[in-house]
């Protein structure tokens, strides 16, 4: 019998869902709007595994909330009968979560592979997209090789070590998808009779948003499980990936330091980052690594925009010592529905005509000539990467915000600057969005 966490998957099921196309292998491109053909397997794909994934792709996934992650990590969702087994609470918790993931991950891997195989308008056929799909096929087979129900700590440890490899395999998925978009831009869009801007193909961006939201979910449940073993001896305010008392100001300060380092590397100097708020040490349950990424991207963009706009605006009279700071305002209290963070700059704002495109993939105000070879030595994004030009930061940051029910709003004043508002819900029982 599956643990309680796994049985939660039945909630909300029962309604008939429309049958979607099964996993196929792309060969060649289809014209926009034409029906897609299922042809042959890619080199290296296993036909038996692909057939099994088709069946798993029809199964429902289990919604997970931050509250569930915390309670599971604390052992609060263990069955009463589990307490009679000759194991510690931590060992029982690891068995419970491991068994849940052994059940859940093949379903999620199959859904992601099918989603990649159904990317619209020919994107599915790009070599880098199919490479990512193959990673999911490999991970599916790897997870399926373990016992469906784990009964010993040795079985659980073997499974956990295996997931370390799965996590590493998918570490550079964001870069691989970016490579696929560049392949698509350079082959499909340039061959169209009428030139089409990638930002105008809304179906692609909607599909990528769904994909990245789901990918974050997989990274969360895998990373949380692995981290549960590492945090067993830590204080109760750290459970797996979740910082029960995450202080946004501390995370934002770390992100700002790294963003300033990148700005100094690019320009030789950087604006300062100032923090304001009535209660900067207030906390909430959150994944600190998510908040770091969100703040890093927004502050990095503000620093670059401030430097470039002020240099252009002042010309020969430009003085780096007089750069206006980037302001981070944090509003938080127990009475508030959300923690609200505003990143405010004097970087010249954003033209109104760009607003529909700023959260689309590969759109950037920094450069438009990104090439495949520019991504060869990059990894899923960090301080070793360029300050700007990937056209990926904002849309991915938005998915991190939305994963736990938050929202990103960007309000520019062209000719002056931009305010970006982040709303993070204080409620921990919001379920992840599984489309």
């Amino acid at each position: 019998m599956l643990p309680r966490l796994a049985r939660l998957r039945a909630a909300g099921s029962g309604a008939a869902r429309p049958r979607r196309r099964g996993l196929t292998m792309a060969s060649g491109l289809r014209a926009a709007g034409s029906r897609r053909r299922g042809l042959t397997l890619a080199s290296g794909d296993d036909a038996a595994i692909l057939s099994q994934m088709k069946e798993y792709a029809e199964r429902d996934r289990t919604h997970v909330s931050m509250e569930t992650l915390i309670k599971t990590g604390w052992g609060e969702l263990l069955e009463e009968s589990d307490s009679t087994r000759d194991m510690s609470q931590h060992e029982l918790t690891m068995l419970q979560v491991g068994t849940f993931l052994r059940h859940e991950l093949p379903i999620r891997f199959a859904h992601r592979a099918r989603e990649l195989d159904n990317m619209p308008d020919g994107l599915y056929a790009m070599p880098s997209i199919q490479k990512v799909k193959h990673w999911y096929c490999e991970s599916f087979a790897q997870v399926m090789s373990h016992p469906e129900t784990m009964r010993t700590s040795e079985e659980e440890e073997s499974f956990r070590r295996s997931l370390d490899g799965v996590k590493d395999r998918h570490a550079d998925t964001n870069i691989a998808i970016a490579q696929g978009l560049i392949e698509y831009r350079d082959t499909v869009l340039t061959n169209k009779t009428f030139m089409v801007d990638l930002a105008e193909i809304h179906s692609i961006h909607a599909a990528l948003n769904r994909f990245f939201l789901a990918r974050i979910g997989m990274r969360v449940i895998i990373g949380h499980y692995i981290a549960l073993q590492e945090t067993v001896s830590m204080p109760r305010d750290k459970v797996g990936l979740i910082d029960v008392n995450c202080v946004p100001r501390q995370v934002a300060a770390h992100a700002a330091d790294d963003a300033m380092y990148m700005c100094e590397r690019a320009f030789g100097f950087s604006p300062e980052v100032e923090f304001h708020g009535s209660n900067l040490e207030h906390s909430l349950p959150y994944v600190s690594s998510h908040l770091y990424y969100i703040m890093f991207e927004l502050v990095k963009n503000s620093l670059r925009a401030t430097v470039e706009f002020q240099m252009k605006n002042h010309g020969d009279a430009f003085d780096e010592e007089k750069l206006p700071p980037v302001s981070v305002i944090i509003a938080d209290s127990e009475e508030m529905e959300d923690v609200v963070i505003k990143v405010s700059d004097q970087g010249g704002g954003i033209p109104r005509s760009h607003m529909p495109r700023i959260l689309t993939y590969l759109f950037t105000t920094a450069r438009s000539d990104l090439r495949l070879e520019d991504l060869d030595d990059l990894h899923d994004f960090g301080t070793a990467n360029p300050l700007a030009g990937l056209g990926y930061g904002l849309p991915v940051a938005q998915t991190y915000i939305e994963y736990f029910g938050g929202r990103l709003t960007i309000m520019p004043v062209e000719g002056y600057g931009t305010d970006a508002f982040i709303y993070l819900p204080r409620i921990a029982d919001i379920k992840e969005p599984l489309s």
Side-chain angles (χ1 to χ4, degrees), residues 86-385:
D86 188 22
M87 289 178 143
S88 68
Q89 177 175 297
H90 176 69
E91 288 173 324
L92 290 170
T93 295
M94 296 305 292
L95 276 177
Q96 180 194 49
V97 180
T99 298
F100 168 69
L101 291 188
R102 169 59 182 81
H103 165 83
E104 179 71 11
L105 286 177
I107 298 173
R108 295 199 181 206
F109 291 153
H111 275 263
R112 296 290 68 72
R114 180 173 66 179
E115 194 164 44
L116 289 169
D117 235 6
N118 282 275
M119 283 289 171
D121 205 53
L123 178 60
Y124 68 90
M126 297 300 102
S128 293
I129 301 298
Q130 287 300 317
K131 177 176 69 175
V132 176
K133 176 206 159 183
H134 182 65
W135 290 346
Y136 283 113
C137 293
E138 291 181 317
S139 295
F140 179 92
Q142 187 171 337
V143 169
M144 292 291 285
S145 69
H146 290 270
E148 190 167 354
T149 300
M150 295 167 211
R151 304 188 183 280
T152 68
S153 293
E154 290 75 21
E155 288 177 341
E156 183 275 320
E157 182 178 0
S158 173
F159 180 69
R160 180 164 25 92
R161 292 185 183 279
S162 185
L163 287 192
D164 270 324
V166 168
K167 190 178 178 185
D168 289 343
R169 176 181 296 126
H170 296 270
D172 288 336
T173 293
N174 286 5
I175 292 291
I177 297 294
Q179 289 173 325
L181 287 171
I182 294 172
E183 291 163 354
Y184 179 80
R185 181 198 67 190
D186 293 346
T187 56
V188 179
L189 295 187
T190 56
N191 289 329
K192 288 183 178 290
T193 303
F194 299 101
M195 287 298 294
V196 179
D197 191 318
L198 182 61
E200 297 173 2
I201 308 178
H202 302 296
S203 59
I204 285 180
H205 297 288
L208 288 173
N209 281 334
R210 290 192 299 270
F211 174 83
F212 283 118
L213 269 173
R215 178 179 185 262
I216 289 170
M218 285 189 293
R219 301 288 286 182
V220 165
I221 61 176
I222 292 174
H224 184 68
Y225 169 54
I226 293 171
L228 281 176
Q229 181 64 28
E230 300 168 354
T231 60
V232 62
S233 60
M234 292 186 180
R236 191 173 168 85
D237 60 358
K238 178 71 174 179
V239 51
L241 283 184
I242 310 296
D243 287 309
V244 180
N245 296 305
C246 173
V247 180
R249 188 253 186 268
Q250 295 176 1
V251 178
H254 179 200
D257 285 345
D258 287 345
M260 290 172 66
Y261 161 77
M262 292 186 68
C263 188
E264 289 170 359
R265 187 185 65 190
F267 297 105
F269 50 86
S270 171
E272 294 297 319
V273 178
E274 297 180 346
F275 291 86
H276 305 278
S278 58
N279 192 352
L280 292 178
E281 299 308 312
H282 220 272
S283 65
L284 80 161
Y286 212 75
V287 180
S288 292
S289 58
H290 287 195
L291 184 55
Y292 168 87
Y293 181 89
I294 294 162
M295 295 304 302
F296 176 71
E297 285 299 328
L298 290 173
V299 173
K300 174 168 65 74
N301 287 349
S302 287
L303 292 174
R304 178 188 63 84
T306 298
V307 171
E308 292 181 344
F309 177 71
Q310 297 296 329
M311 290 175 69
K312 178 181 177 181
N313 209 31
H314 293 283
D316 293 339
F318 171 76
D319 184 352
E320 65 187 69
E321 298 295 330
K322 296 182 179 179
L323 277 170
V326 170
S327 296
V328 177
I329 299 95
I330 301 174
D332 185 18
S333 73
E334 293 291 348
E335 295 75 28
M336 292 175 58
E337 181 177 321
D338 299 315
V339 175
V340 183
I341 304 174
K342 181 173 80 166
V343 180
S344 183
D345 66 56
Q346 297 179 42
I350 303 167
R352 186 163 58 90
S353 61
H354 285 181
M355 287 303 295
R357 308 166 69 194
I358 60 173
L359 293 174
T360 60
Y361 297 90
L362 287 194
F363 175 77
T364 173
T365 58
R367 57 189 292 192
S368 59
D369 60 343
L370 191 65
R371 301 166 300 172
L372 277 175
E373 51 266 34
D374 294 330
L375 277 65
D376 285 346
D377 297 323
L378 301 186
H379 300 284
D380 270 9
F381 305 103
T383 56
N385 293 343

